[in-house]
Amino acid sequence: MGSAEEPREARVRLPQLRLDELLEELQARLDAARGTRDRVHSLLEAVLSVGRELELEQALHSIVEAAALLVDAEYAALGVIGPDGTRLSAFHTVGVTEQQIAGIGHFPEGHGILGELIHHPEPLRLAKISEHPSSYGFPSNHPPMNTFLGVPIRVRDQVFGNLYLTEKRGGAQFDEEDESVLSTLAVAAGVAIDNARLYEESRLRERWLQANAEITHSLMSGSERGQVLGLIADRAREITGAALAVVAVPMEDTDWLSMELAIGPEAETLRGLVLPVDGSLIGEAFSTAAPVTTPDVSQDKRVSAGPPRFNGLGPAVAVPVGTGEGGVRGVVLLIREAGQTVFTGKEIEPLLAFAAQAAVAIELAERRADAEEVAVLKDRDRIARDLHDLAIQRLFATGMTLQSAGRFIEHPEASERVVRAVDDLDETIKIIRSTIFGLRSRAGTGGTGLRARVVRIAGEAAPVLGFAPSLRMEGLVETLVPREVADHVVAVLSEALTNVARHAHADRADVALTADSRQVRLTVTDNGVGIPADGRRSGLRNMAERARQLGGELELSGPADGGTTLVWWAPVPAE
């Protein structure tokens, strides 16, 4: 009896065990289905979140955050591949603090494992980063990382960058499902990035159109040329993200360009600097009527003569204002901070259109100014003709009448007064004739040509010196300095540069000419051996004598770092 009951109980327990196993398996599958559902929902939410962003930088940051959340990674990064296609130009991270980033240093450029994805844009999953052949370790202060998952992001069949995920939480490994989810996110990220790019391009075009409209309105409303050039430089600097903007214009009757305006760091040292067209970066843009770029302006010998400039600055582009057919009216030089991206063709294209439009506006304004000048000259001719044909003739007739009447006046005092009146009329006629001559004269009181003469002297001295001197001119040099004083300035400059060539043994010379309503000042500085105590001083005496003749002075000094500084100044006669 007892033996018959035992098999029955065993048969009852066996179905019970199988039922428990089935229920557990069902529960596991339900949990897996629920997990898959939750992950799909998370993926959809991530795709929607990424797709909502129109600002490119914010979109990239959202993609990195979504990737870390989807695969439960402690660290995530998005590396943007640069224009050359071999290195990273930007790096967006999640999970690394600002202090850690500062300790690590510059963001990675795309070597090791990161470079592996750049050269082979396919998903890469690793259990331990250090075991991969391309791995060569992390920089100091870098947090430890072992597990790795990377997938490329493509935008219109071009690889935009890569997503890098490391350290799956809980010590687990990244699996195929993680790779699949991340690849799906990468597809959505490519669409979002493309949309953000298109949005940025449309906004950029709108900003260029607004800038063109602002410049055209400013010119047509009668703003001064200097104000308009400043507006062109400021808007170009703002839109392109440049740190420094310089506008250079050609000097009349010379092969030199003058940096008429500068905005940004080192603007004071650049404003008024004069550079030759041949051999300079802006000169190349001017002569070829085409944009010229450089990846590092501080190391480019074409940028400026003399001492090193542009500390802390890097990529630059020089864009002509105008075209070869219509004539280049100047050059806009834009320079970004060191470490920023170089100017690309997509950036330069709207910049060229902007510069061409600015040139058209400048030409229209000049034509309007010419028309106004013609109208003024015509009006002056009319006034001169009326004065000659009417006023002078009437005064002359009045004088003749008084002379004739004087013969009939017997009273001596009255006769003397009539004679004085006739003399006064003669003087008045002379004054009016002088005024007529002034009205009909097209040449102004300026036009001394001092700028061109100074540039010519500096150019002629270059072969003797063995280098081109740095040249800067500020103020109304042409209009404020009369011809007599200008002749002395040219003679002093020629003598000073000759002395540098003969005696200084220098490899750098800086020339600065400034003029205001009170004085004209010429400064010549070199880094040579200085003036010896027993050296000949006949040239210096001649320069000092020229200054004394005009009521000015010659000053010499030796800077602490060596060389000589010569300052020659003379007062400018009041008009």
Side-chain angles (χ1 to χ4, degrees), residues 204-217 219 227-240 245-247 319-323 331-334 346-362:
L204 191 60
R205 283 195 295 269
E206 183 181 357
R207 293 180 70 186
W208 282 122
L209 289 172
Q210 288 176 347
N212 271 323
E214 187 177 358
I215 289 167
T216 302
H217 178 267
L219 280 166
Q227 291 178 334
V228 176
L229 290 178
L231 186 61
I232 291 172
D234 191 50
R235 293 296 175 268
R237 171 175 171 258
E238 177 187 344
I239 295 173
T240 60
V246 178
V247 177
V319 178
V321 179
T323 62
V331 177
V332 176
L333 176 66
L334 299 170
K346 284 188 176 180
E347 290 179 295
I348 296 174
E349 185 179 351
L351 182 58
L352 270 173
F354 168 75
Q357 183 66 28
V360 171
I362 291 174

Side-chain angles (χ1 to χ4, degrees), residues 3 22 33 43 64 83 100 102 104 106-107 119 127 159 165 169 171 180 204 227 325 330 351 383 405 420 430 449 467:
S3 61
L22 289 172
L43 178 59
V64 180
Q100 288 176 314
I104 295 170
H106 193 272
F107 66 80
H119 302 302
V159 179
L165 286 301
R169 298 183 188 276
S180 176
L204 191 60
Q227 291 178 334
E325 296 179 359
L351 182 58
I383 294 171
R420 283 203 304 269
K430 289 179 182 178
F467 57 88

Side-chain angles (χ1 to χ4, degrees), residues 188-512:
V191 175
I193 291 169
D194 193 29
N195 289 338
R197 276 179 163 181
L198 292 173
Y199 176 69
E200 281 199 348
E201 288 175 6
S202 66
R203 287 188 62 191
L204 191 60
R205 283 195 295 269
E206 183 181 357
R207 293 180 70 186
W208 282 122
L209 289 172
Q210 288 176 347
N212 271 323
E214 187 177 358
I215 289 167
T216 302
H217 178 267
S218 178
L219 280 166
M220 294 300 101
S221 61
S223 296
E224 294 182 0
R225 180 171 172 270
Q227 291 178 334
V228 176
L229 290 178
L231 186 61
I232 291 172
D234 191 50
R235 293 296 175 268
R237 171 175 171 258
E238 177 187 344
I239 295 173
T240 60
L244 174 66
V246 178
V247 177
V249 295
M251 299 182 64
E252 190 175 356
D253 300 327
T254 70
D255 292 329
W256 292 65
L257 295 167
S258 174
M259 292 187 177
E260 189 166 315
L261 185 141
I263 303 173
E266 297 194 25
E268 290 299 325
T269 61
L270 295 172
R271 196 174 296 119
L273 191 69
V274 180
L275 296 177
V277 171
D278 187 21
S280 65
L281 185 77
I282 59 174
E284 186 177 338
F286 179 82
S287 59
T288 61
V292 180
T293 61
T294 177
D296 189 355
V297 74
S298 63
Q299 302 297 323
D300 198 314
K301 300 299 183 183
R302 300 172 299 169
V303 173
S304 67
R309 305 179 191 275
F310 307 111
N311 294 325
L313 299 178
V317 60
V319 178
V321 179
T323 62
E325 296 179 359
V328 179
R329 299 179 174 274
V331 177
V332 176
L333 176 66
L334 299 170
I335 309 176
R336 286 175 173 158
E337 293 180 350
Q340 292 194 0
T341 58
V342 298
F343 287 89
T344 63
K346 284 188 176 180
E347 290 179 295
I348 296 174
E349 185 179 351
L351 182 58
L352 270 173
F354 168 75
Q357 183 66 28
V360 171
I362 291 174
E363 184 171 357
L364 288 174
E366 288 178 354
R367 293 291 179 268
R368 186 193 63 183
D370 290 343
E372 291 176 353
E373 185 179 356
V374 168
V376 170
L377 291 174
K378 286 183 177 179
D379 201 36
R380 286 182 175 181
D381 285 342
R382 180 188 60 78
I383 294 171
R385 186 172 58 252
D386 290 346
L387 286 173
H388 182 272
D389 295 344
L390 300 176
I392 287 183
Q393 297 303 324
R394 288 189 179 184
L395 289 173
F396 187 75
T398 302
M400 293 291 292
T401 301
L402 288 174
Q403 266 188 322
S404 300
R407 300 195 196 100
F408 302 101
I409 299 175
E410 297 180 356
H411 194 282
E413 187 175 348
S415 178
E416 184 181 351
R417 288 187 178 181
V418 170
V419 171
R420 283 203 304 269
V422 172
D423 292 340
D424 288 342
L425 286 174
D426 287 338
E427 288 298 320
T428 302
I429 291 172
K430 289 179 182 178
I431 292 172
I432 293 176
R433 280 177 174 165
S434 177
T435 303
I436 292 172
F437 178 79
L439 287 171
R440 285 178 171 170
S441 176
R442 295 179 65 92
T445 56
T448 62
L450 180 55
R451 281 181 179 268
R453 296 172 70 187
V454 167
V455 168
R456 188 162 54 250
I457 292 296
E460 291 171 353
V464 182
L465 289 167
F467 57 88
S470 170
L471 186 58
R472 188 173 75 252
M473 288 184 275
E474 295 182 11
L476 301 177
V477 175
E478 296 290 314
T479 56
L480 291 177
V481 184
R483 181 78 186 190
E484 180 186 356
V485 178
D487 292 340
H488 286 287
V489 171
V490 171
V492 170
L493 176 60
S494 179
E495 181 71 24
L497 292 178
T498 301
N499 287 344
V500 172
R502 288 179 179 174
H503 310 298
H505 303 292
D507 58 11
R508 193 187 81 223
D510 300 325
V511 177

Side-chain angles (χ1 to χ4, degrees), residues 512-534:
L513 178 64
T514 60
D516 55 29
S517 59
R518 297 180 295 106
Q519 63 177 227
V520 57
R521 179 178 291 265
L522 174 68
T523 304
V524 181
T525 305
D526 67 72
N527 65 343
V529 298
I531 301 176
D534 57 348

Side-chain angles (χ1 to χ4, degrees), residues 135-155:
S135 176
Y136 62 83
F138 295 101
S140 57
N141 302 316
H142 197 285
M145 296 181 181
N146 292 298
T147 56
F148 176 86
L149 175 58
V151 296
I153 298 175
R154 287 180 169 83
V155 178

